[in-house]
Amino acid sequence: MRAMLDVIIAGGGPAGAALGTMLAGQGRSVMLFEKTTAAQDKMCGEFFSEEGVRYLAALGVDLRALGAVPIGAVRLAAREVLAECPLPFAGLSLPRRIVDEHLLQRAAESGVAVVRGTSVEQLTGAPGEWSIRLSDGTEETAKDAFLATGKHDLRGRKRTGGSQNDLVAFKMYFRLAAEQEERLRDWVELILFPGGYAGLQLAGSGCANLSLLLTKKSLRDCGAEWSRVLAHAVVSSAHLERRLAGAVQLRSRPITLSSIPYGYRRISSETEPWYLGDQSAVMPSFTGDGMSIALHSAFLAADAYRRGVTAHTYQAILARQLKRPVRFATALSRCMVSMPVLAHALRLYPGAMAWIASWTRVPSHFLKIGDSHRSSPYPSFHRCAGDI
Ligand SMILES: Cc1cc2nc3c(=O)[nH]c(=O)nc-3n(C[C@H](O)[C@H](O)[C@H](O)COP(=O)(O)OP(=O)(O)OC[C@H]3O[C@@H](n4cnc5c(N)ncnc54)[C@H](O)[C@@H]3O)c2cc1C
């Protein structure tokens, strides 16, 4: 009979793949299940903030070498441009279909048994012995289970709502007219329109990513049709209209996502598995920090696991670390949708956007890379011999 696995991971996005790589590096037997069979486009603005870039580099994934384009400044627009400001860090942009595949490849090279095309349907058990039921009807057991299924909740393990639950997301790639592509180079643009907002940036290889959020009510008013949603945003923003003049849509249909619990942070109990990435906290998209949080949760969990810290303690620490940025970003996101006129104040203080960008990410002293990782957030009695 095969020995029980140390670890099963559900989901091979940034959180699951990064965690698998690190746990395999600790000598654990790890099996990771990813429901997609091959690389595909994902719902994401594809902005990588500095922390995400550094976490990926620590895993051996060099975004620049993969063709990422630099993003050095942010522009806020409604009908017309309201404010512009350099970012307080260097961001990068690259399609998720490239990054996620490299991360899964790294996991496999590190010794993770990566199983593609199989969904985890259910997880039962308790710390010490977990059992998962898979879409092909088989089961696997392991001593520890990590849920990193992103936007998708497993049956019986649904996240409660966040504090902004009424937004629906659309993503479309465009080939912009040459002049507009040139004007967008190096910028991430945040465009406000009645009932929602959108992020626009180049995503490498001659295409721009428009990721758009609007309320369910506005979506109903648009007849739940992508062409009318886009027309609504374009009619409300002369800036967006100019950007998209002569642009070609590169997908036949947008990627869509509903029921996003922005502002959610998981507080778990002693009997729960480990939750990572979007399963642990959901940061409003305009911050471009969701992937950094996913990677941060993986680094924090891997460190906790190595030190023998429980899932419950890890989860409580992560929730505490993310409390301020997630709350602050969600309050801003609500304002952007319900009181967009407040954003006009940024005309007077454009530099405030750099301050907002700093306050809506994982605080640097909590990062598990650089100098800060030397001070552990875990109780000292959990330290292992040889810890730094
Ligand atoms: C509109 C929008 C724009 C965004 N823009 C940005 C941005 O610009 N920058 C940024 O950093 N973040 C952004 N985010 C957030 C970011 O996409 C997420 O925070 C990030 O992808 C979370 O990573 P994850 O690994 O937790 O989950 P995911 O990336 O969602 O990965 C989960 C993986 O699990 C797999 N899976 C799901 N269910 C199962 C199952 N049952 N069994 C097996 N596999 C399963 C999925 O196929 C997927 O590969 C945006 C989000 C939205 C909605």
Side-chain angles (χ1 to χ4, degrees):
M1 205 176 94
R2 197 178 74 181
M4 194 194 287
L5 286 164
D6 290 325
V7 169
I8 38 183
I9 301 175
L19 177 84
T21 302
M22 288 182 278
L23 294 190
Q26 290 176 19
R28 315 287 182 167
S29 55
V30 184
M31 197 174 254
L32 180 154
F33 297 92
E34 165 52 46
K35 71 175 180 183
T36 59
T37 49
Q40 56 178 241
D41 290 333
K42 290 190 168 178
M43 173 58 74
C44 190
E46 298 173 327
F47 175 87
F48 288 82
S49 59
E50 190 192 12
E51 317 89 85
V53 174
R54 288 170 62 203
Y55 273 133
L56 287 170
L59 293 165
V61 177
D62 178 350
L63 292 186
R64 287 181 185 83
L66 295 175
V69 295
I71 306 279
V74 55
R75 178 178 285 138
L76 179 71
R79 177 153 287 285
E80 293 293 348
V81 171
L82 295 175
E84 296 179 338
C85 152
L87 284 169
F89 51 79
L92 290 176
S93 173
L94 190 67
R96 289 286 300 273
R97 89 182 88 87
I98 299 176
V99 180
D100 287 24
E101 282 307 296
H102 269 81
L103 273 170
L104 276 174
Q105 205 177 311
R106 279 292 299 125
E109 286 163 4
S110 309
V112 177
V114 176
V115 183
R116 299 294 297 259
T118 308
S119 287
V120 174
E121 306 242 297
Q122 201 171 13
L123 173 71
T124 51
E129 184 163 355
W130 292 98
S131 173
I132 49 169
R133 212 183 56 243
L134 299 164
S135 50
D136 61 7
T138 60
E139 291 206 349
E140 281 292 342
T141 53
K143 292 177 200 152
D144 287 288
F146 293 77
L147 294 193
T149 52
K151 297 124 189 95
H152 307 280
D153 298 326
L154 285 195
R155 193 179 314 151
R157 298 186 182 275
K158 199 166 164 43
R159 291 165 295 174
T160 55
S163 43
Q164 187 181 30
N165 301 303
D166 64 338
L167 294 182
V168 179
F170 290 84
K171 165 176 165 175
M172 176 55 78
Y173 286 122
F174 290 91
R175 188 178 315 112
L176 301 186
E179 186 198 342
Q180 294 303 323
E181 181 176 336
E182 218 30 60
R183 286 177 190 269
L184 187 58
R185 196 171 299 288
D186 203 41
W187 292 86
V188 55
E189 297 188 333
L190 198 55
I191 300 155
L192 309 179
F193 55 85
Y197 56 87
L200 180 68
Q201 63 179 39
L202 297 181
S205 61
C207 78
N209 176 328
L210 180 76
S211 289
L212 182 153
L213 290 151
L214 84 168
T215 60
K216 290 178 181 166
K217 178 182 176 313
S218 306
L219 180 62
R220 277 195 301 276
D221 294 345
C222 292
E225 260 181 54
W226 164 240
S227 57
R228 288 180 59 190
V229 168
L230 186 61
H232 167 65
V234 165
V235 160
S236 318
S237 170
H239 177 77
L240 183 60
E241 186 181 14
R242 267 194 304 279
R243 281 283 177 269
L244 295 185
V248 179
Q249 290 198 22
L250 296 178
R251 291 178 53 92
S252 55
R253 281 184 307 176
I255 300 172
T256 55
L257 181 66
S258 61
S259 307
I260 315 167
Y262 286 127
Y264 171 79
R265 283 179 307 128
R266 189 180 293 267
I267 313 293
S268 74
S269 70
E270 297 282 359
T271 55
E272 300 238 38
W274 303 66
Y275 295 92
L276 293 104
D278 278 4
Q279 282 291 309
S280 60
V282 184
M283 182 65 132
S285 313
F286 80 88
T287 63
D289 213 41
M291 286 182 285
S292 296
I293 289 179
L295 292 163
H296 176 68
S297 68
F299 275 73
L300 194 67
D303 186 33
Y305 197 70
R306 184 171 60 94
R307 293 170 193 268
V309 175
T310 65
H312 178 55
T313 302
Y314 146 80
Q315 215 75 57
I317 289 170
L318 182 64
R320 213 162 47 234
Q321 292 184 346
L322 298 178
K323 183 173 174 177
R324 187 203 75 194
V326 170
R327 276 194 176 174
F328 179 56
T330 312
L332 283 180
S333 178
R334 289 165 66 122
C335 276
M336 280 157 65
V337 174
S338 56
M339 291 180 284
V341 74
L342 286 184
H344 289 246
L346 288 167
R347 261 199 181 125
L348 304 173
Y349 309 106
M353 288 197 295
W355 179 82
I356 289 171
S358 304
W359 270 65
T360 51
R361 33 206 14 93
V362 184
S364 58
H365 52 280
F366 292 140
L367 296 179
K368 303 296 293 173
I369 35 180
D371 288 342
S372 56
H373 85 284
R374 291 176 184 280
S375 57
S376 169
Y378 301 113
S380 56
F381 55 83
H382 286 303
R383 277 184 171 261
C384 312
D387 279 349
I388 46 172

